[in-house]
Amino acid sequence: MRRVRQIAVATATVLTGALALTACGSSDSGDSSADAGLSVGSAYMPQPVSDSMAAGFLVITNKGAAGDVLTHVTSDIAGDVTVHKTVGQTMEEAERLDIPAHGELVLQSGGDHLMFEQLKRKPREGDKVAVQLHFAKTSPITVEMPVKSATYNPKTGH
Ligand code: CU
């Protein structure tokens, strides 16, 4: 009985995720990368509290048979964009960001994340922030990252 219920919950979660992608994933998961099988989804930036720094999250999926590497990230709103790892209570710059064949690179709240520094303007909820992802092999992918509320949780959509 309990087992059946867990399966039902898992199915509901998957369905919710699929609906969320249908609703807001079309503009930020560009199809420009068909050549090497990379696609970007689940991108968002919580409205930053700080005037100088902001975090961003996304998932890069690799459907291809060859791995790739995220080499650097740029954005017109920030003087510098790096990928940070969360280590305990502190953050440090991640060195190598592999996107394995048939795998994904997940940047999510509480884990690895994009760090926008030297902000040129402060993003507000409802804005879109253009972010360019540069790879070792695949040509750059531009993502229009929606700015959500400061407390946005992608699992609930609020
Ligand atoms: Cu950080």
Side-chain angles (χ1 to χ4, degrees), residues 53-55 82-86 91-92 113-115 117:
M53 287 167 72
T82 53
V83 180
H84 278 179
K85 268 186 202 309
T86 303
M91 305 186 292
E92 55 186 54
H113 53 274
L114 295 176
M115 204 81 220
E117 294 174 76

Side-chain angles (χ1 to χ4, degrees), residues 62-87:
N62 184 359
K63 290 198 164 66
D68 206 340
V69 179
L70 178 64
T71 53
H72 66 286
V73 182
T74 54
S75 172
D76 60 357
I77 68 148
D80 192 31
V81 186
T82 53
V83 180
H84 278 179
K85 268 186 202 309
T86 303
V87 181

